[in-house]
Every structure is written in C-alpha cells, then in structure tokens.
Amino acid sequence: MLRRTFLALTTATALSSQAFAGGHSMDIVDTAIEAGSFTTLVAAVEAAGLVDVLKGDGPFTVFAPTDDAFAALPEGTVEGLLADPEALAAILTYHVVAGKVMSGDLSDGMMAATVNGAEITIGTMDGVTVNDANVTAADIEASNGVIHVIDKVILPPQ
C-alpha cells in the first residue's frame, strides 16, 4: 500500500509539474478570462482572431485594458471595432510587446516596440503609465508571459 501511494504521489507530482511549468498553468487568455474584468478585451481578441496567438508560446507582455476602460470609449466605438476585425487587431496588437517585460524592467521614458509595429512610451514618475494610460496592477504572470492592467484603451498613432 505504501508503495502504491508513493507511485501515485510521484505520478501526480510529475503531471502537475508539467501543467504548472514556470509556476503558472494558465496562458494570457485564460488568465484574463479567470480575472473576470476583461470580458470586453477577451471578446475583442476573439473577434480579431488573436486567441491562438495569445495562447501561443510567447512570451508576451500585454497591457490589458479593463472592461471599464472599454466602456469609457465614445458610444458605438467598441461595436464599430468588433465589426472591423482588421482595425480591431491593429489596436489590440498595440497593447502587446514581444517578450516578458516585468515592472522592474521598466524605466521612465522607455520606448517599447509593440507587435503592431508602433512604439509605446513608458513613464515611471508618479506611478507607471503606458502612453496616457495608468498601470493599475502589474506583473500578473501567465504561462506564456505577463499582464499589466491599464485603465485606458491606448490607440496607435495614425
């Protein structure tokens, strides 16, 4: 019986070690879903066809606007973007940086190239900002990167 218990525990440990690689079992998309405050972002990622990308190996750094950030956009903006997957993808990829960038890696005035191709500007005076959005929660780790929560939807330069 002791031998069977040991084997069962060894097997369970081996399986859970793979599931929690890097200490995090959920990818960026699943982490956002579980948080519950990113339903608009998740719907937008789905509409833009980016789910598989953000579930991919990465690593990615996502500056994730909350549902409140999307609600603050002018009336009809979200609906218009959901109907235009190309424009939506351009905005969403402006919120993503290739690589895993933790808050300790940020510096004031730092420029970071986004997956969109345009750059964002990081500020670290009086809190952390991304362009004109405030980071309200940082370093939410996922199996394929990190999420930093922001209070605004940032728009790429025209």
Side-chain angles (χ1 to χ4, degrees):
M1 169 116 162
L2 183 61
R3 183 174 180 207
R4 197 171 342 152
T5 303
F6 177 76
L7 287 174
L9 286 173
T10 303
T11 303
T13 302
L15 292 174
S16 67
S17 296
Q18 291 172 356
F20 292 97
H24 311 284
S25 64
M26 293 187 296
D27 58 48
I28 287 171
V29 174
D30 292 337
T31 300
I33 290 169
E34 183 171 283
S37 56
F38 301 104
T39 55
T40 306
L41 177 61
V42 171
V45 166
E46 290 171 351
L50 297 173
V51 171
D52 289 341
V53 173
L54 291 176
K55 283 183 156 291
D57 291 337
F60 303 106
T61 298
V62 176
F63 295 96
T66 61
D67 290 337
D68 289 341
F70 278 100
L73 291 171
E75 189 174 329
T77 302
V78 173
E79 294 77 10
L81 288 171
L82 291 173
D84 185 353
E86 190 173 313
L88 183 59
I91 291 171
L92 293 175
T93 56
Y94 188 60
H95 289 78
V96 180
V97 173
K100 185 175 180 181
V101 183
M102 303 300 285
S103 61
D105 300 326
L106 303 175
S107 60
D108 194 49
M110 176 181 176
M111 302 292 288
T114 67
V115 174
N116 165 294
E119 290 189 329
I120 53 174
T121 303
I122 306 297
T124 58
M125 305 300 267
D126 300 322
V128 178
T129 59
V130 179
N131 291 358
D132 60 345
N134 295 302
V135 174
T136 59
D139 299 339
I140 300 166
E141 293 191 68
S143 63
N144 62 343
V146 63
I147 298 170
H148 302 294
V149 181
I150 57 176
D151 65 355
K152 279 181 86 170
V153 176
I154 55 176
L155 301 175
Q158 296 295 322

